[in-house]
Amino acid sequence: MSLGIDLVPHKTCSLDCVYCEAGETTMLTLERREYVPVDEVIFELDEFLKTVERLDFLTFSGAGEPTLNSGIGKVIDFVKKKYPQYRICLLTNGTLLGNSEVAEAVKSVDLVVPSLDASDEEEFEKINRAGKLLTLSDLMTSLISFREIYTGAYWLELFIVPGVNDTDASIERFRQLIPQIRPDKVQLNTLDRPGCVPWIKSASEGTIMRFIEKLQDIVPVESVGKFKYRSYENSGLLPDEIESRIVEMVCRRPGTVEDISNALGLSLENADMLLHKLNESGILRKTVSRRGVFYFIHLNEYLMLRRESRRS
């Protein structure tokens, strides 16, 4: 449950990305100023938060680049002091994170999600359309330098644009760039709503899987579009160890495929495959209820399996 906070007029941004659901950028700029009066934002925010019962995040997002507003730090400070129970997320194109004033203003937020959609300058020009304001090298410098001072959760969004940044050569270049940024996770996304140009299309599941297969050995990967996937979060667990975790979980409480997927960071496909295997081998049993198929094992059965495992 997220409350969006928009700090710039529609469509004020430092990029003009071809996939943007908010439409084409009408004010392409790197100039920071108080585009939206932050005192008014704080007043509205205060009035709303006095009455709300539950929020997971307050999220800076909207119809442009939120860090262009020179007063973003004032809003963050207000929330941190008066409503510390709420986590703050910043969705950003990352272009201004290398600015020392911006970095200082946003470094206390709980989650920062910048974007990296291009693996070379040609892709950057075609996808992000920054004109003469920025290069991919500038963006990389910002993303890397911010990571040096930021200690919160840092997730990198990579938007797949078929025919532009999805070649094997592109993916290999992403493999070289991403470790320099040191994100906690990479989120893969693709077109869901109409973009700014007629030629952009959604990536296929096969294309998304090519990214996953090439990237998940260097960083945890999550696909957040229609095709859902989460890697093992680089836990270092072997398949047998993951199966043991599943058995231990359902011993305590029966669980569905979705429960196992969410708890262990597995894709639904992987969770379903493992549960089916454990059921076919007789280790787990399953039952059907109104909420779905639940897998379970009785404590005595589990203890017997543990004893047999130790003997072998």
Side-chain angles (χ1 to χ4, degrees):
M1 184 71 73
S2 172
L3 174 68
I5 304 170
D6 200 348
L7 294 181
V8 293
H10 188 281
K11 174 72 191 343
T12 303
C13 198
S14 51
L15 297 177
D16 184 19
C17 302
V18 295
Y19 57 78
C20 186
E21 64 188 46
E24 292 191 18
T25 295
T26 52
M27 183 181 286
L28 184 66
T29 182
L30 281 173
E31 181 188 359
R32 298 192 72 227
R33 57 186 172 88
E34 201 168 328
Y35 291 92
V36 175
V38 294
D39 286 340
E40 294 181 19
V41 173
I42 288 172
F43 176 80
E44 291 183 17
L45 196 54
D46 193 26
E47 290 297 301
F48 181 83
L49 294 179
K50 287 175 182 176
T51 60
V52 73
E53 293 184 1
R54 173 182 169 269
L55 284 172
D56 297 312
F57 277 100
L58 304 181
T59 303
F60 291 102
S61 58
E65 174 51 44
T67 59
L68 283 170
N69 193 308
S70 57
I72 188 172
K74 188 175 179 180
V75 184
I76 293 169
D77 290 343
F78 164 75
V79 174
K80 287 292 182 181
K81 290 174 183 175
K82 188 162 184 181
Y83 298 97
Q85 68 271 35
Y86 294 125
R87 291 177 292 173
I88 301 176
C89 173
L90 171 63
L91 301 183
T92 172
N93 60 30
T95 55
L96 288 158
L97 292 178
N99 180 305
S100 59
E101 291 182 359
V102 173
E104 185 64 28
V106 306
K107 70 179 183 180
S108 65
V109 305
D110 304 278
L111 170 62
V112 175
V113 187
S115 298
L116 179 70
D117 309 314
S119 69
D120 63 16
E121 296 293 351
E122 183 179 353
E123 292 173 6
F124 185 72
E125 183 178 340
K126 189 162 188 178
I127 297 172
N128 302 119
R129 303 190 301 184
K132 296 180 180 179
L133 291 182
L134 292 160
T135 64
L136 176 61
S137 178
D138 295 328
L139 174 60
M140 283 295 298
T141 298
S142 288
L143 297 177
I144 293 168
S145 65
F146 182 69
R147 187 46 157 168
E148 294 297 323
I149 67 154
Y150 182 62
T151 58
Y154 201 40
W155 299 356
L156 186 68
E157 183 180 57
L158 194 166
F159 198 99
I160 302 173
V161 181
V164 182
N165 66 353
D166 63 338
T167 65
D168 290 341
S170 295
I171 298 174
E172 183 56 38
R173 286 193 293 269
F174 279 120
R175 276 181 57 89
Q176 304 304 314
L177 295 175
I178 290 170
Q180 299 177 48
I181 300 166
R182 296 186 291 123
D184 298 304
K185 173 164 62 176
V186 167
Q187 287 189 326
L188 299 175
N189 207 343
T190 191
L191 193 69
D192 187 41
R193 302 180 180 91
C196 301
V197 294
W199 54 262
I200 187 171
K201 294 180 172 57
S202 298
S204 67
E205 290 186 13
T207 295
I208 296 170
M209 281 305 303
R210 284 198 297 116
F211 275 83
I212 291 168
E213 289 166 358
K214 292 292 185 179
L215 297 179
Q216 69 177 353
D217 65 326
I218 62 170
V219 65
V221 180
E222 178 179 27
S223 175
V224 296
K226 291 181 180 178
F227 175 63
K228 300 279 192 284
Y229 179 93
R230 280 199 295 175
S231 69
Y232 294 155
E233 304 295 332
N234 277 2
S235 63
L237 294 177
L238 299 173
D240 288 348
E241 293 173 315
I242 295 170
E243 291 180 10
S244 296
R245 291 281 183 90
I246 292 174
V247 172
E248 289 172 1
M249 281 186 60
V250 299
C251 175
R252 293 191 295 270
R253 186 188 341 185
T256 65
V257 173
E258 291 80 8
D259 295 333
I260 301 300
S261 170
N262 290 329
L264 296 182
L266 303 173
S267 68
L268 285 172
E269 293 79 7
N270 285 340
D272 185 60
M273 177 188 69
L274 290 168
L275 287 167
H276 179 75
K277 175 185 173 183
L278 291 167
N279 175 246
E280 287 292 303
S281 65
I283 295 174
L284 298 187
R285 290 189 272 171
K286 63 181 180 179
T287 184
V288 180
S289 75
R290 283 184 295 179
R291 190 159 81 83
V293 177
F294 280 81
Y295 291 83
F296 66 97
I297 183 173
H298 291 302
L299 179 60
N300 288 339
E301 293 174 307
Y302 174 65
L303 293 174
M304 188 180 299
L305 285 170
R306 290 286 297 272
R307 285 194 294 270
E308 290 175 356
S309 175
R310 289 194 187 101
R311 292 194 195 104
S312 62

